[in-house]
Amino acid sequence: MAMERGREMLTIGAFAKACRLSPKALRLYDELDLLRPARVDPDTGYRYYAVEQLEQARLVAWLRRLGMPLAHIRQVRALEPSAAAREIRAFWARVEADTAARRDLATFLVDHLSTPPRKDTHPMASTNTLELRYAARTDIGRVRAANQDTAYAGSRVLAVADGFGPGGAPASAAAVEALKFLDAEPLTAGSVLNLLEDAVQGATEAVRDIAGTRHEKTGDEVTDDIGTTLTAMVWTGSRLALVHIGDSRAYLLRDGELFLITHDHTLVQSMIDEGRLTPEEATAHPQRTLLLKALTSTPSSPDLRLHDAEPGDRYLLCSDGLTRAVPEHTIQDLLTTIPDPDATTAALVEAANANGGPDNVSCVVADVVRTDGGRMRVQ
């Protein structure tokens, strides 16, 4: 221990023991300008730290134990305590969302590997097959100056994307475009998730290119303020593979009951999951639109899973312009009472606009129907 101009100084070894960071870590943090020593001996290069730096060092150690990247720690250290606390809370919510996604994938893999293959996995396995009847619709709404949503429905691919930021419209379009190649040929349940994951990687790269192009044109820093949500399903002939990131949604109507089959990647949803907010309180929360995950220039893990389909199932994919404007019971009623998918999408958009149309609204409706020798059978 040494004294310098009234300041109590610690050698790097003593400081490392006090803050529970290794000397190697302290040297790295010095090089990264994350935690500079108070003094470096000009002759020996030996590092000395002030006692008052212990609190900063312990904060760095705690954040590293949380798994926070060093660049993020540097940002947190520069904030006032209350702002730093909010940033740590948001970071941990993202960690929990990622953990939940990996847990869902692990559950799927256990089920997938434990269940014997279905005989109708390939759509050509029988003359008595399942097919989709589908329709897609997007609308600017009553308030927005432009439509940043994209909706698509094909014989195998169903997708809704809700773009945000100055490049939101091309971002949502690029994300959906990256999936369309899956519409070209039949897929098996065993391969579709890997193909879908590759497609999402392509979508992420497309969004990154859009953000980079804007950076070149404007000189703005490349950030995550340009991106899109993505909720999509790919038909294998007996199952639907789901990919989801953001707060667009997918619903299943089966036997008259409506089930939400996606989980919103939002701050308020994480607070609901933790019991810190009720669903009713979430509708009025000032940060209710804050996304924890989306397709942006920074890679993020989407939810991936397979759903077994049954004849008579009806699926709805939609942007939050529908779910924030139309109560769920009204959505269920429209899905239940209007048999034609195209007429259903029109009615859903009309309902959103009748309630003020505060956002762009997009939806895809797809019915699972059985065909017999190429002829469609009414369920």
Side-chain angles (χ1 to χ4, degrees):
M1 186 179 297
M3 299 292 291
E4 182 177 300
R5 296 182 182 179
R7 298 178 72 192
E8 187 176 347
M9 306 292 287
L10 300 176
T11 65
I12 188 171
F15 190 77
K17 289 181 180 179
C19 66
R20 298 189 177 183
L21 286 169
S22 69
K24 181 178 179 181
L26 289 172
R27 286 190 287 270
L28 174 62
Y29 299 162
D30 180 11
E31 294 171 4
L32 296 176
D33 196 24
L34 181 62
L35 185 64
R36 292 288 195 184
R39 175 179 176 270
V40 178
D41 190 293
D43 297 321
T44 65
Y46 210 70
R47 296 170 173 85
Y48 293 89
Y49 293 82
V51 170
E52 53 265 30
Q53 288 183 282
L54 281 172
E55 185 175 352
Q56 300 173 32
R58 286 167 182 152
L59 175 61
V60 172
W62 291 330
L63 294 177
R64 287 299 288 159
R65 289 185 65 185
L66 282 180
M68 184 176 287
L70 293 176
H72 200 166
I73 292 175
R74 186 184 295 111
Q75 296 172 6
V76 170
R77 281 198 57 240
L79 299 174
E80 294 295 328
S82 59
R86 289 194 298 270
E87 186 61 30
I88 294 169
R89 184 182 298 114
F91 168 78
W92 190 245
R94 290 192 292 271
V95 170
E96 290 184 323
D98 287 340
T99 302
R102 290 195 294 271
R103 181 178 62 245
D104 290 344
L105 181 57
T107 300
F108 154 73
L109 288 172
V110 170
D111 292 343
H112 181 61
L113 295 173
S114 303
T115 305
R118 292 174 56 153
K119 293 181 179 180
D120 60 344
T121 295
H122 195 286
M124 300 303 294
S126 169
T127 57
N128 195 346
T129 62
L130 299 178
E131 292 184 0
L132 297 180
R133 288 190 309 165
Y134 50 83
R137 191 176 299 266
T138 184
D139 190 87
I140 194 172
R142 296 287 185 259
V143 175
R144 301 293 189 186
N147 192 350
Q148 294 189 305
D149 284 4
T150 300
Y152 173 80
S155 58
R156 294 183 180 86
V157 175
L158 315 169
V160 166
D162 181 358
F164 56 84
S172 69
V176 173
E177 189 66 31
L179 301 180
K180 287 186 181 179
F181 79 95
L182 296 172
D183 227 358
E185 59 184 38
L187 302 168
T188 64
S191 65
V192 69
L193 284 182
N194 287 337
L195 289 171
L196 197 50
E197 189 169 23
D198 291 342
V200 172
Q201 178 60 38
T204 301
E205 292 172 359
V207 172
R208 187 183 300 120
D209 289 344
I210 290 167
T213 300
R214 175 174 173 79
H215 165 69
E216 292 174 0
K217 289 181 177 180
T218 65
D220 294 342
E221 182 181 356
V222 177
T223 63
D224 287 347
D225 65 344
I226 296 175
T228 183
T229 70
L230 178 65
T231 300
M233 304 188 88
V234 179
W235 176 242
T236 71
S238 64
R239 291 175 174 176
L240 281 157
L242 170 70
V243 59
H244 167 71
I245 187 166
D247 63 352
S248 295
R249 290 182 174 181
Y251 289 90
L252 166 64
L253 182 73
R254 176 176 288 175
D255 298 326
E257 295 293 325
L258 187 65
F259 303 94
L260 176 62
I261 58 175
T262 53
H263 196 73
D264 292 349
H265 298 141
T266 59
L267 177 63
V268 294
Q269 184 61 55
S270 70
M271 295 172 72
I272 293 172
D273 296 341
E274 296 166 7
R276 295 190 288 125
L277 204 65
T278 67
E280 293 74 23
E281 291 170 338
T283 60
H285 195 279
Q287 293 179 302
R288 60 187 178 278
T289 61
L290 181 61
L291 294 173
L292 296 182
K293 292 205 300 183
L295 291 183
T296 65
S297 58
T298 302
S300 191
S301 302
D303 298 343
L304 288 166
R305 63 176 65 91
L306 279 175
H307 283 268
D308 290 333
E310 296 181 4
D313 284 351
R314 169 167 275 196
Y315 288 87
L316 166 67
L317 279 61
C318 61
S319 62
D320 68 339
L322 177 68
T323 53
R324 293 189 190 282
V326 182
E328 197 167 277
H329 65 84
T330 301
I331 293 174
Q332 180 175 355
D333 182 62
L334 294 174
L335 290 172
T336 303
T337 58
I338 304 175
D340 178 67
D342 187 60
T344 307
T345 60
L348 290 167
V349 169
E350 182 180 355
N353 287 334
N355 288 343
D359 198 357
N360 309 145
V361 56
S362 296
C363 54
V364 171
V365 172
D367 295 334
V368 179
V369 297
R370 190 182 296 280
T371 60
D372 187 358
R375 294 173 299 174
M376 189 172 295
R377 292 172 54 186
V378 178
Q379 301 302 321

